[in-house]
Amino acid sequence: MSMSRRAFLAAVPAVTLAGCAGPPPLRVAVVWSGEELRRFLRVVDAYVAERRRPVSVYSAGDNISALLRGPAADVVPDVAVIPRLGLLFDPLVRPRIRPLTGGHAQPAFWRRLVTAPESGETLGAWFKIANKSLVWHRAGERHALAGLTAWQPRPGTLAIGAADGWVLSDWFENVLLAYAPEVYDGLFPPAEQGNQAWWGVAKVTEALTLLATIWREAFTYDQGRRALTLQFHDSILDVFSYRTADVVAAPDFALPVIERYGGKDVAGHFPFPAYPGGSPPLVVGGDVAVAMRGGGQDAVDFVDWLTRPRAGGERDVLTAWVDEGGFLTPYRQPAHPLLRGPAEALHTAGNRHYDLSDRLIGRLEGGDGRGLWRVLTELFTDVTAGTAAPAAAAAAAREKIVAAAGEGPA
């Protein structure tokens, strides 16, 4: 999918934060909207005030991949903050990234993820990270930490925003990592950018069957149809505002939504269940800031400023964002007690695995209505709003994944 300059300018609004007269604004593309975008603009405003350098922030949403791959050079931004690690290694995007030199050191686990295997160059710096292996519930309610095979939420107790493909993908990644960590590792070995042959192993079908069984048991036909209309935020409200469900699997950044609509001190969480004999899965995600070649040294300097570690006692708009919840970084512990444990795991846990779907490129690349997200949406539909047996639906889903993985680039 390519994007013309005219289409980009029509689809992507920009906010220019002015500095002194002089150079043209540094163009920064992000995926956020709403409150996340407003908070980011406050951070950029602090940069403008400090450096006296104008910045234009573009909210590209899902179009950011097309923007970075597009044939029109005048559309490619100077800096991009991207949510999918795979874009760094996309054959069309990788040559456009200016590797980072100097600046601050990143923790080893996170640095390795943004390092080009063939050259050892650092391609980006982590701005925001996320723990995607939490199950949230109302405070004061007890929920048994059953193993994955015994964790069968009764109909009406589980909320899922199935209209958002990434929500279903997070479910699959947690189940696959819990059930078959060797397959998860095989798909993306530490020093490589992917081995698609692992999609063909039997344990992928078995993990999909386990996932489909959980979904089938948790939803009636009508509940499944309703879940397919719900987005991520809606599923949070089902538990903490409407109280029509008891638990929701959601990343740490669910907390601001919980507290905005449900109130303070209303939530608790537990780790996503482990498979018997194994460890609880820990799927991590995040947003990477990259300097594009057209941005020159100014782009590198902006990325370094944006992602630099803040000192323990330092207070600015970014540390305030961390302290208020919904924003984790590799360098700072959050003030909110509910987030300290999930944040510590991101820094120290030995079983961290980066979000699988966010590493995919080609025909399996995530996005609503395409790739792995589409396959999982069809699986959810088949076993909740349809009549397919979990094993049959899982086998069909695995065939779709294998077929897409074997087709090569989109």
Side-chain angles (χ1 to χ4, degrees):
M1 176 180 173
S2 63
M3 178 177 285
S4 68
R5 181 176 186 275
R6 177 177 297 178
F8 171 71
L9 294 176
V12 182
V15 177
T16 300
L17 304 173
C20 59
L26 193 71
R27 299 174 300 167
V28 179
V30 300
V31 299
W32 306 307
S33 60
E35 182 60 23
E36 281 189 306
L37 178 59
R38 287 190 288 272
R39 296 302 296 259
F40 181 72
L41 290 174
R42 293 178 202 167
V43 174
V44 175
D45 195 48
Y47 170 85
V48 171
E50 177 183 320
R51 300 296 178 93
R52 308 302 297 167
R53 175 76 160 86
V55 177
S56 286
V57 178
Y58 297 85
S59 179
D62 277 347
N63 287 326
I64 198 162
S65 57
L67 169 64
L68 298 179
R69 294 170 176 144
D74 55 348
V75 168
V76 177
D78 302 313
V79 173
V81 184
I82 62 176
R84 295 198 293 273
L85 184 63
L87 281 175
L88 269 70
F89 305 98
D90 183 284
L92 295 178
V93 178
R94 169 68 181 86
R96 295 178 170 179
I97 294 175
R98 178 183 293 271
L100 302 180
T101 56
H104 58 82
Q106 302 183 71
F109 170 83
W110 297 96
R111 182 185 69 249
R112 187 166 57 249
L113 289 171
V114 295
T115 298
E118 74 284 356
S119 65
E121 294 174 314
T122 301
L123 302 183
W126 293 94
F127 174 60
K128 181 181 180 183
I129 58 178
N131 185 317
K132 310 188 84 174
S133 296
L134 302 172
V135 182
W136 295 83
H137 60 88
R138 291 186 291 274
E141 297 184 0
R142 297 181 63 84
H143 293 270
L145 300 183
L148 188 56
T149 54
W151 189 47
Q152 291 294 343
R154 300 185 312 277
T157 62
L158 177 65
I160 292 183
D164 284 327
W166 68 265
V167 171
L168 301 181
S169 177
D170 281 1
W171 266 90
F172 170 62
E173 288 152 3
N174 276 287
V175 170
L176 180 64
L177 182 55
Y179 179 74
E182 72 279 11
V183 175
Y184 204 108
D185 283 335
L187 284 164
F188 280 97
E192 300 176 26
Q193 284 312 308
N195 183 353
Q196 302 298 299
W198 277 88
W199 286 120
V201 304
K203 282 196 172 183
V204 171
T205 305
E206 294 165 9
L208 287 166
T209 301
L210 177 57
L211 175 64
T213 301
I214 294 172
W215 286 344
R216 162 60 67 82
E217 297 298 324
F219 292 92
T220 66
Y221 172 80
D222 288 338
Q223 291 166 349
R225 285 172 59 88
R226 179 177 179 272
L228 286 163
T229 70
L230 296 183
Q231 295 182 313
F232 167 70
H233 284 58
D234 301 318
S235 66
I236 304 300
L237 298 182
D238 270 1
V239 176
F240 294 99
S241 184
Y242 309 138
R243 294 180 172 244
T244 55
D246 296 334
V247 296
V248 58
D252 61 84
F253 51 79
L255 184 60
V257 183
I258 294 170
E259 295 192 333
R260 179 175 182 180
Y261 295 102
K264 302 287 186 179
D265 303 320
V266 300
H269 58 68
F270 57 86
F272 198 94
Y275 190 76
S279 302
L282 178 52
V283 177
V284 306
D287 299 310
V288 182
V290 297
M292 309 304 289
R293 290 194 179 276
Q297 187 60 39
D298 283 347
V300 174
D301 292 344
F302 177 83
V303 169
D304 189 56
W305 181 93
L306 184 68
T307 61
R308 67 181 175 85
R310 268 60 174 177
E314 185 176 355
R315 294 288 300 171
D316 63 7
V317 290
L318 191 142
T319 60
W321 194 357
V322 173
D323 289 343
E324 290 169 18
F327 187 98
L328 301 180
T329 80
Y331 310 106
R332 190 180 187 91
Q333 274 287 80
H336 201 297
L338 271 180
L339 295 182
R340 289 174 190 160
E344 181 65 21
L346 294 181
H347 304 320
T348 62
N351 64 331
R352 294 166 292 180
H353 288 72
Y354 188 79
D355 185 301
L356 177 64
S357 69
D358 285 348
R359 300 189 73 166
L360 297 173
I361 57 177
R363 297 190 181 279
L364 278 177
E365 180 180 327
D368 286 328
R370 65 178 186 270
L372 180 63
W373 292 9
R374 177 174 180 173
V375 173
L376 294 171
T377 300
E378 291 170 348
L379 175 64
F380 184 88
T381 303
D382 289 344
V383 297
T384 62
T387 60
R398 202 280 294 266
E399 289 180 5
K400 295 173 188 175
I401 292 172
V402 171
E407 288 176 354

